[in-house]
Amino acid sequence: MTDFLAYVWSLSDDRYVEFVRRLKGAMAAMGETQLLDMASGSAGPVPKLLEMLETQEKYTATALLTDLYPEVSAFEKVKAAHPGRVDYVTTPVDATAVPASFKGFRIMCNSFHHLPPDMARKVLADAVAQRRGIAIMELVERRGPAIAMTAAALLNVPLATPFIRPVRMDRLALTYLMPLIPIAAAFDGVVSCLRTYSIEEMRELTHGLSDDYTWDIDRLTNEGNPFGLMMLIGRPTNPSQA
C-alpha cells in the first residue's frame, strides 16, 4: 500500500510547487540543507521534494529518513536510488522527542494526521524547544471531493499496480486475487481525510508554543485537482539565535 502511495505522490509536480518554494525560503533563512524526515514510512514524497528543491529553487539539499518503526528495506531502496542525497536511521526515532543529535529541518509528509492533538502538539513543541524548523505537509484534507477520490483507490490501485516497480508477485496477488491492498488503501485514505487537521486546528496546535516563531499555515490548491495541500511551516523568527 505504501508503494502505491509513493507511486501516486511521484506522478505530479504541480501540487508541490508552492510548498517547495515556501519550504526553501524557511530552510534558507535557517541555513539548513538537510531535511530530517520523521514518520517516513516508505519515504513518500521526500525524493520528489529534494528534486524540486534543486530544479525549481536551485537549492541542493539532502534528507535523513527516520521512523518510530523503521522500514529499513524501503529506506535502503530509496537510498540506493538517490546516492549521496538520502540516508536513513535504523533505530526508532520518536517525532515527539527527537534526540538533539539529529540535526536538520524537520518534515512530516502525510503522517501528521495519524497523531491525536496532544501528540501533534508535542511534535511541534519539541521542534520549538530545540529551535528547529519544522514543515508539515498533508496531501489529503477533510473535504467531500478529497474523501471521494481516496475512496476511489478501490479502482485506482488495480489500475496503477502494473506500473509500480519492481514488480512483486505478492503485490499482484493481494491486488487482483485477494484485493486486500485496494480495500486497505481506500479505507486508510478515507480515514486519513477525516483525521486531517484544518487550518484553524493547526493554528490552535501552535498557539502559545513560542513568541519567537514564525508559522506559515495554509491550504494550497491547484486548478482541476480536488485535493488541497494542507501545510504548516514553522521556524525561529531570529534564526541566528537557534
Side-chain angles (χ1 to χ4, degrees), residues 201-221:
E201 289 165 341
M202 287 193 288
R203 286 175 179 158
E204 182 62 27
L205 290 173
T206 66
H207 182 71
L209 290 180
S210 174
D211 294 330
D212 184 31
Y213 251 70
T214 298
W215 300 103
D216 183 9
I217 301 172
D218 205 351
R219 175 180 181 264
L220 308 178
T221 60

Side-chain angles (χ1 to χ4, degrees), residues 3-223:
D3 285 346
F4 164 73
L5 294 174
Y7 172 76
V8 171
W9 292 331
S10 70
L11 292 179
S12 173
D13 292 350
D14 293 346
R15 296 188 66 195
Y16 302 116
V17 169
E18 178 61 17
F19 174 75
V20 167
R21 185 186 70 80
R22 299 192 196 191
L23 176 63
K24 181 261 182 177
M27 293 179 70
M30 296 190 67
E32 293 280 15
T33 58
Q34 176 176 274
L35 290 173
L36 179 63
D37 188 35
M38 305 182 298
S40 295
S42 59
V46 168
K48 174 66 71 175
L49 297 179
L50 291 179
E51 174 189 328
M52 292 185 67
L53 281 168
E54 184 161 7
T55 58
Q56 174 185 312
E57 301 296 331
K58 313 304 178 187
Y59 197 78
T60 301
T62 60
L64 183 65
L65 310 178
T66 71
D67 202 290
L68 189 60
Y69 305 100
E71 192 177 340
V72 176
S73 60
F75 288 177
E76 183 58 39
K77 183 170 67 173
V78 176
K79 178 180 178 179
H82 304 275
R85 300 293 300 278
V86 177
D87 205 348
Y88 61 89
V89 177
T90 60
T91 55
V93 176
D94 184 351
T96 68
V98 179
S101 58
F102 291 121
K103 307 299 183 183
F105 200 103
R106 300 180 185 185
I107 189 168
M108 293 184 74
C109 298
N110 307 305
S111 54
F112 197 62
H113 62 266
H114 289 294
L115 306 178
D118 59 333
M119 291 186 66
R121 185 172 170 86
K122 285 180 181 178
V123 168
L124 301 176
D126 187 70
V128 169
Q130 297 192 45
R131 295 188 64 75
R132 313 304 307 179
I134 185 167
I136 305 297
M137 184 184 77
E138 297 274 19
L139 292 178
V140 295
E141 59 177 337
R142 204 166 66 230
R143 292 171 182 252
I147 294 170
M149 285 295 292
T150 55
L154 286 170
L155 298 176
N156 292 334
V157 171
L159 291 174
T161 294
F163 303 99
I164 301 175
R165 296 293 184 270
V167 174
R168 290 175 45 179
M169 295 307 297
D170 56 350
R171 185 190 300 122
L172 295 176
L174 292 173
T175 298
Y176 300 110
L177 297 180
M178 186 181 298
L180 296 181
I181 296 176
I183 293 171
F187 177 80
D188 179 74
V190 170
V191 172
S192 295
C193 287
L194 296 176
R195 293 184 57 143
T196 301
Y197 292 100
S198 66
I199 290 176
E200 293 75 17
E201 289 165 341
M202 287 193 288
R203 286 175 179 158
E204 182 62 27
L205 290 173
T206 66
H207 182 71
L209 290 180
S210 174
D211 294 330
D212 184 31
Y213 251 70
T214 298
W215 300 103
D216 183 9
I217 301 172
D218 205 351
R219 175 180 181 264
L220 308 178
T221 60
N222 292 101
E223 185 176 354

